[in-house]
Amino acid sequence: MLGERLAAALGAARDGAAGIESFAHLLGSRRVGPRGVALALPEVCEGCAALVVALDSLSAAVRDGFVETGSAAAADAAAADAACAVLGHAGVEVARLTDELSRAAAGASPARGAGRGRADRGGSERGIDARQRLGLEASVRRTARELSGALRLSELVIATLELRPTPLDLIDVLRNWSAAPAEGRPVLGISVASSDGRANEVEGDVRAVSGLMELAVGMVSAAGVASPHLTVSRLSDGRSMVRIAERGPREGAPAVALDVVLRDGGERAAAVARVVARRARIELVEGTDGRVVTMTF
């Protein structure tokens, strides 16, 4: 079944990403010496090569899920394109890291005939030097961040294959937004104002709603809004609207102030946001300068 295929491909990609994350921690640990790093490199290289294949398989499974199911509700080439774009970018990044790690592993490997004498043994046990290690750590962490974002975005698109709307409180959704520190990601302060408690109550899939909130904050932040302000209001037709922009001088005092981890705000993330909003039947409108995003539920 396609669901099983998607789940298997996603699981393989997650496992590969976890391996890269683990190697980043190993590189950052001062308990692991240069010899230990050198010994780990070949296995990590193999894992990276397998991850490139896993990302390709996931991309193919996603495309089939949205294009070849024969279901009018699922058939959506634009959704497949959005997810595959982020997975393709991640694949290029992992391939780059694979090449870099392969070169490092070759340089750290003992030469032919090593071990015949004390000098040879000493050379083979040095592994990589401190400067190399710092460079590798920065590179591995960069790839880990790219993978984390790519998998999160692709999972958000995949979730729209089977939306499960439930009653939600938008303020609760925001409060549940993780503010835990994330490696290499900035923490951003946002404020939320709600003029009508009923406006907070919407019907929607929690994965789609929370994901869109995150992406919308990332979009306005990428456009230069330093401290996004979310205003939740009830429209005359009974729908709820969330406006994300800079706080105006006449806007009400915040009902909630949150510190959140800023994740994605680039064009690939914006493309995912548009697709997810459309499939979840949430009206998403972007301001011409990108500094305002509104979502109507």
Side-chain angles (χ1 to χ4, degrees), residues 1-10:
M1 293 177 61
L2 184 60
E4 294 175 354
R5 180 185 168 202
L6 260 176
L10 189 55

Side-chain angles (χ1 to χ4, degrees), residues 138-151:
S139 187
V140 171
R141 290 193 183 281
R142 165 186 153 180
T143 301
R145 289 193 299 270
E146 293 285 346
L147 274 170
S148 173
L151 290 178

Side-chain angles (χ1 to χ4, degrees), residues 184-199:
R185 297 188 186 277
V187 175
L188 184 74
I190 65 173
S191 58
V192 186
S194 179
S195 57
D196 180 352
R198 294 177 303 162

Side-chain angles (χ1 to χ4, degrees), residues 47-83:
C48 285
L51 178 55
V52 172
V53 176
L55 290 170
D56 285 342
S57 297
L58 177 57
S59 186
V62 167
R63 188 165 295 283
D64 289 349
F66 282 98
V67 178
E68 297 180 3
T69 60
S71 166
D76 192 336
D81 289 343

Side-chain angles (χ1 to χ4, degrees), residues 150-197:
L151 290 178
R152 192 183 67 86
L153 289 173
S154 62
E155 287 171 13
L156 184 55
V157 177
I158 291 168
T160 67
L161 280 168
E162 191 181 2
L163 291 166
R164 297 190 286 268
T166 59
L168 300 173
D169 185 300
L170 291 174
I171 300 297
D172 286 344
V173 171
L174 289 166
R175 284 198 177 104
N176 289 332
W177 188 350
S178 173
E183 196 69 46
R185 297 188 186 277
V187 175
L188 184 74
I190 65 173
S191 58
V192 186
S194 179
S195 57
D196 180 352

Side-chain angles (χ1 to χ4, degrees), residues 106-151:
S109 297
R112 289 185 180 273
R116 293 175 183 171
R118 180 176 297 179
D120 288 333
R121 287 196 300 273
S124 69
E125 290 174 359
R126 281 195 294 270
I128 64 171
D129 62 32
R131 184 176 180 181
Q132 251 188 313
R133 181 170 181 160
L134 287 173
L136 279 180
E137 183 181 355
S139 187
V140 171
R141 290 193 183 281
R142 165 186 153 180
T143 301
R145 289 193 299 270
E146 293 285 346
L147 274 170
S148 173
L151 290 178

